[in-house]
Amino acid sequence: LPSEIDPNLKTMPHPVLIIDDEAAIRESLSGILADEGFSALTAATAEEGLQLLDEKDVCLILLDIWMPGMDGLEALKLIKQRFDLPVIMISGHGTIETAVQATRAGAFDFIEKPLSYDKIVLSVTKGVQLARLERENRLLRESGPVKTHITGASGCIVRLREQIERVAPTDASVLILGGHGTGKELVAQTIHRHSLRGKQPMIEVNCAAIPEELIESELFGHVKGSFTGATDNKKGKFDQANGSTLFLDEIGDMSLKSQAKVLRILQEQRFERVGGARTIEVDVRVLAATNKNLEEEIEHGRFRADLFYRLNVVPIVVPDLVERRADVPLLVEEFARQFGRKGLGHKAFAADALQLLQRHAWPGNVRELRNLVERLMIMTPGDTVTAADVALFLGGAPLSPPPAPTRAQDYGELS
């Protein structure tokens, strides 16, 4: 094989699906794929293959054209409509016209029988590479830009980084605790990125943003007709996170019924879709976050104690901004740089402005600071943000005594 093919592709968790009515071909292709480190699922008909696609995570499909019942070209159209997967067509009676039809319908490649070992392996490897890149691009577009580091030099942030460094390489469940706007999602992203699953995108779910009646469908998927509006089968977030990490943000807002299902997945790594009877096995690491006191929620009967202890294998507390005032100048500098790249121009923050920002109470934590920096970048007419500019936007907010200078602070202008 060409040296540019990434050998790590062969260790992807999702199998290749082979759809062919000839048992000998299915066996031969399965053997070729096994020799090259790929796993395989097989189906004798297009109908059986489509059912497997509803139930299993697959990275690529090898699809025969001539089969009894639904033929390969018809199946190809349905697959491209319902699943975002590369399809390699195989045929023992291939013609140029058939190959053109398959390509126009969205086939990734077209291979004629008798099958060439090298051509099969090359086409499958390139198809899997395409599938992985498309999946990562789609999930990155959905999640938006991912920050690459935790900003700060205060003692509590240094300890936070040390905790992340220890827990990230493991598969342990982590419960991330902290107030609104402290950066719990960033901590989860950092844990995932430094884990053995870090090459796959992390899947995120905001449990507080999804209506209670839809949270199970969002997490576990559903089968067609299981409830009003379920017009097709749908895979859930646990399906998407197979082989990777699932981040359950604001898990304290999840219903008790959904908590029970999440507990089962953590224990058994399997679940059923809403309205479905088949058990689906997955390999998912779960990170969870909340701003609630879950022990108090347990006392009031709003959170399951067994789920809490399952998630709380490694608790990580993200400090409020008032606990790390020394980091305010560093955060301001970073936010100003980010907004400058977005077209808001270049502005420096004077020393008295930084001191005033350090004395603010910051009930909204880092998120509030970021929003204020953006507002100052937009509304301050000059090239330097002064204490007067900051005071104008802070209004009559109560201030704390100024923090003692540390080596992490820079009271000069930030530019």
Side-chain angles (χ1 to χ4, degrees), residues 144-330:
V146 175
K147 190 178 172 185
T148 57
H149 65 282
I150 297 175
T151 300
S154 59
C156 54
I157 290 300
V158 171
R159 289 190 294 273
L160 178 63
R161 290 200 197 97
E162 291 173 350
Q163 288 179 302
I164 291 172
E165 185 178 349
R166 290 193 189 99
V167 74
T170 74
D171 260 349
S173 299
V174 180
L175 182 60
I176 305 167
L177 305 168
H180 286 298
T182 51
K184 298 186 293 296
E185 181 180 352
L186 175 58
V187 170
Q189 290 169 347
T190 307
I191 292 172
H192 170 70
R193 193 171 56 254
H194 290 91
S195 74
L196 300 177
R197 302 168 184 260
K199 291 184 179 181
Q200 304 294 328
M202 183 178 79
I203 307 300
E204 302 179 25
V205 180
N206 187 329
C207 301
I210 303 171
E212 183 177 347
E213 61 272 15
L214 296 179
I215 185 68
E216 287 189 60
S217 171
E218 187 72 16
L219 290 175
F220 313 116
H222 61 253
V223 300
K224 182 178 179 181
S226 56
F227 55 86
T228 303
T231 57
D232 209 340
N233 294 337
K234 176 189 173 183
K235 293 183 178 180
K237 297 296 186 181
F238 273 97
D239 281 304
Q240 296 176 28
N242 191 16
S244 187
T245 303
L246 180 66
F247 175 49
L248 299 175
D249 197 9
E250 304 301 347
I251 196 170
D253 293 284
M254 182 180 288
S255 70
L256 290 170
K257 183 178 178 182
S258 299
Q259 289 175 33
K261 288 198 172 185
V262 170
L263 176 63
R264 181 189 173 191
I265 293 178
L266 290 174
Q267 292 172 330
E268 304 177 6
Q269 292 286 299
R270 60 184 182 182
F271 65 97
E272 290 86 31
R273 294 200 178 103
V274 176
R278 292 180 178 272
T279 298
I280 299 165
E281 296 185 358
V282 290
D283 172 23
V284 175
R285 182 187 191 179
V286 172
L287 309 178
T290 183
N291 64 343
K292 294 185 175 181
N293 184 325
L294 292 187
E295 292 177 323
E296 289 184 2
E297 295 294 298
I298 292 170
E299 290 179 7
H300 291 91
R302 294 189 292 263
F303 202 84
R304 294 180 61 107
D306 45 7
L307 177 58
F308 170 74
Y309 294 120
R310 178 66 65 170
L311 290 171
N312 201 39
V313 175
V314 180
I316 290 182
V317 179
V318 187
D320 288 336
L321 188 53
V322 293
E323 300 175 54
R324 43 179 298 215
R325 294 179 187 274
D327 293 330
V328 168
L330 299 175

Side-chain angles (χ1 to χ4, degrees), residues 59-70:
C59 63
L60 178 139
I61 302 164
L62 287 164
L63 177 61
D64 189 22
I65 290 183
W66 307 110
M67 294 182 292
M70 184 188 300

